């Protein structure tokens, strides 16, 4: 059903093994600082693509409402436990390549540590463009193939792929690193104007992380993040861009937010709320609704 392939975190304990017990405090805190620097003071509706277990969601404090989207239902269940049930959060299990939303809907979108798993990055970015309002803000994090470690390994002959060429590298199945110029080109072609670039994880080196206090590494990383405006040689890069044109502006989401959904298969809209599912008026498909999660991966 899904094409290109999707990296599925269903049933994964990613949050606890990678973040909570994985020695990633440094990375997590540098991301918090970058988001603080890139997020607007306020906004109405934000789309968090690849929200996972909601690690970053509490950082989007300026937005009235956040749609957490992930392909994995179990990740969204973990996010529900973390964030609690509130009207502020809407949980959607869906494929980034087939977003189940009407055009020109969101004031902002974030995609952090997600493009990393995209076999067709331009197609995914095109979907983001489609659902953003004109003037909408997009914060994208990508894994940078042009990082110092990769460059050194390449020069020493310990790595076969070339970090200087623009094409993505799939270094493990469905794990991609991207060249900063390719990212800029794709965003530019889609009508995004880049406003700010920050580089993160300058000190993602096992030995340093073990011997230098985390707070000190975070402090120096936060200073160096601004050098992203001139060069990008770190493994992680944040880009803030704004959609200059786009789909016609539509009125802000009404209280009944069901009207923001459309059928991901045929584009049918508005979907009919049958409580346990949303029915498509055009193709008749039924999209499941269970325990507060709207599921657009496979019809019932
Ligand atoms: Zn349909």
């Amino acid at each position: 059903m899904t094409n290109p392939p999707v990296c599925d975190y269903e049933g994964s304990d990613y949050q606890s093994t990678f973040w909570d017990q994985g020695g990633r405090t440094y990375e997590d805190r540098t991301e918090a600082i970058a988001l603080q620097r890139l997020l607007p003071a306020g906004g109405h509706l934000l789309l968090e693509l690849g929200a996972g277990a909601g690690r970053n969601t509490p950082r989007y404090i300026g937005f009235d409402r956040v749609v957490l989207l992930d392909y994995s239902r179990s990740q969204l269940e973990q996010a529900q436990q973390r964030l609690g049930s509130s009207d502020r959060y809407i949980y959607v299990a869906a494929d980034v390549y087939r977003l189940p939303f009407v055009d020109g809907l969101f004031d902002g979108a974030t995609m952090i540590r997600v493009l990393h798993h995209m076999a067709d990055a331009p197609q995914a970015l095109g979907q983001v463009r489609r659902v953003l309002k004109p003037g909408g803000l997009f914060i994208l994090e990508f894994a940078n193939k042009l990082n110092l470690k990769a460059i050194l390994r390449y020069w020493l002959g310990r790595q076969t792929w070339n970090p200087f060429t623009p094409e993505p590298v799939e270094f493990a199945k469905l794990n991609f690193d991207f060249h900063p110029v390719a990212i800029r080109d794709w965003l530019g072609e889609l009508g995004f104007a880049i406003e700010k670039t920050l580089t993160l994880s300058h000190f993602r080196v096992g030995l340093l992380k073990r011997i230098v206090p985390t707070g000190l590494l975070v402090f120096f990383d936060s200073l160096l993040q601004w050098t992203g405006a001139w060069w990008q040689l770190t493994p992680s890069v944040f880009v803030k861009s704004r959609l200059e044109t786009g789909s016609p502006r539509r009125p802000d989401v009404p209280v009944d937010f069901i009207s923001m959904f459309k059928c991901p298969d045929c584009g049918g809209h508005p979907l009919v709320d049958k409580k346990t599912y949303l029915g498509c008026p055009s193709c008749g498909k039924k999209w499941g609704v269970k325990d507060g999660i709207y599921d657009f991966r496979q019809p019932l």
Side-chain angles (χ1 to χ4, degrees), residues 263 266 280 283:
C263 175
C266 78
C280 175
C283 71

Side-chain angles (χ1 to χ4, degrees), residues 24-45:
R24 258 72 174 205
T25 311
Y26 162 69
E27 283 82 357
D28 184 51
R29 286 175 59 185
T30 54
E31 281 189 11
I33 291 168
L35 282 174
Q36 225 169 24
R37 289 170 171 171
L38 300 179
L39 282 166
H44 187 63
L45 186 67

Side-chain angles (χ1 to χ4, degrees), residues 242-263:
R242 201 171 286 281
L243 189 58
E244 293 191 307
T245 55
S247 318
R249 179 173 284 274
R250 62 171 55 237
D252 285 339
V253 189
V255 182
D256 162 30
F257 57 80
I258 299 298
S259 63
M260 75 182 188
F261 293 122
K262 74 169 194 182
C263 175

Side-chain angles (χ1 to χ4, degrees), residues 47-284:
L47 173 62
E48 184 178 14
L49 293 139
R55 177 179 61 91
N56 274 317
T57 315
R59 292 167 180 159
Y60 306 134
I61 39 174
F63 282 85
D64 300 336
R65 272 190 152 159
V66 181
V67 174
L68 291 91
L69 183 133
D70 205 277
Y71 193 72
S72 156
R73 185 184 167 93
S74 63
Q75 292 293 308
L76 291 172
E77 286 165 358
Q78 290 180 45
Q80 280 180 321
Q81 283 168 18
R82 175 187 295 256
L83 302 166
S85 57
S86 112
D87 282 354
R88 206 172 156 248
Y89 301 117
I90 301 163
Y91 300 90
V92 179
D95 178 352
V96 172
Y97 298 113
R98 306 185 315 140
L99 292 178
F101 307 111
V102 295
D103 298 356
L105 180 68
F106 295 95
D107 304 270
T110 64
M111 192 189 252
I112 293 164
R113 291 178 179 261
V114 172
L115 201 69
H116 195 42
H117 298 303
M118 297 288 146
D120 190 341
Q123 190 183 329
L125 297 174
Q127 284 285 294
V128 178
R129 176 200 192 277
R130 181 182 69 74
V131 300
L132 273 179
K133 285 178 181 173
L137 178 80
F138 180 35
I139 297 177
L140 169 69
E141 186 275 351
F142 67 92
N144 179 15
K145 71 183 287 199
L146 187 66
N147 67 76
L148 277 181
K149 189 174 157 196
I151 294 169
L152 283 178
R153 286 174 56 88
Y154 180 66
W155 281 342
L156 293 171
R158 289 188 191 165
Q159 171 188 297
T160 51
W161 55 267
N162 184 342
F164 299 101
T165 51
E167 77 287 347
V169 56
E170 185 175 21
F171 63 91
K173 190 170 164 50
L174 285 177
N175 281 262
F176 301 88
D177 285 357
F178 299 91
H179 195 288
V181 170
I183 297 282
R184 282 198 288 273
D185 286 351
W186 289 332
L187 288 173
E189 282 161 18
L190 288 167
F192 286 100
I194 294 175
E195 294 188 344
K196 210 173 266 183
T197 303
L198 301 177
T199 43
L200 275 78
S201 283
H202 291 79
F203 308 111
R204 190 186 291 173
V205 179
L207 179 69
L208 272 181
K209 281 167 63 177
R210 278 194 299 276
I211 60 174
V212 182
T214 304
L216 209 58
L217 288 185
V218 171
F219 173 73
F220 283 112
D221 194 86
S222 74
L223 294 182
L224 288 169
Q225 282 184 10
W226 300 109
T227 63
W230 304 298
W231 55 80
Q232 301 91 33
L233 297 169
T234 55
S236 173
V237 179
F238 273 61
V239 179
K240 173 186 177 180
S241 61
R242 201 171 286 281
L243 189 58
E244 293 191 307
T245 55
S247 318
R249 179 173 284 274
R250 62 171 55 237
D252 285 339
V253 189
V255 182
D256 162 30
F257 57 80
I258 299 298
S259 63
M260 75 182 188
F261 293 122
K262 74 169 194 182
C263 175
D265 273 7
C266 78
H269 177 266
L271 301 182
V272 184
D273 189 358
K274 297 286 190 181
K275 300 305 165 195
T276 55
Y277 68 88
L278 301 179
C280 175
S282 305
C283 71

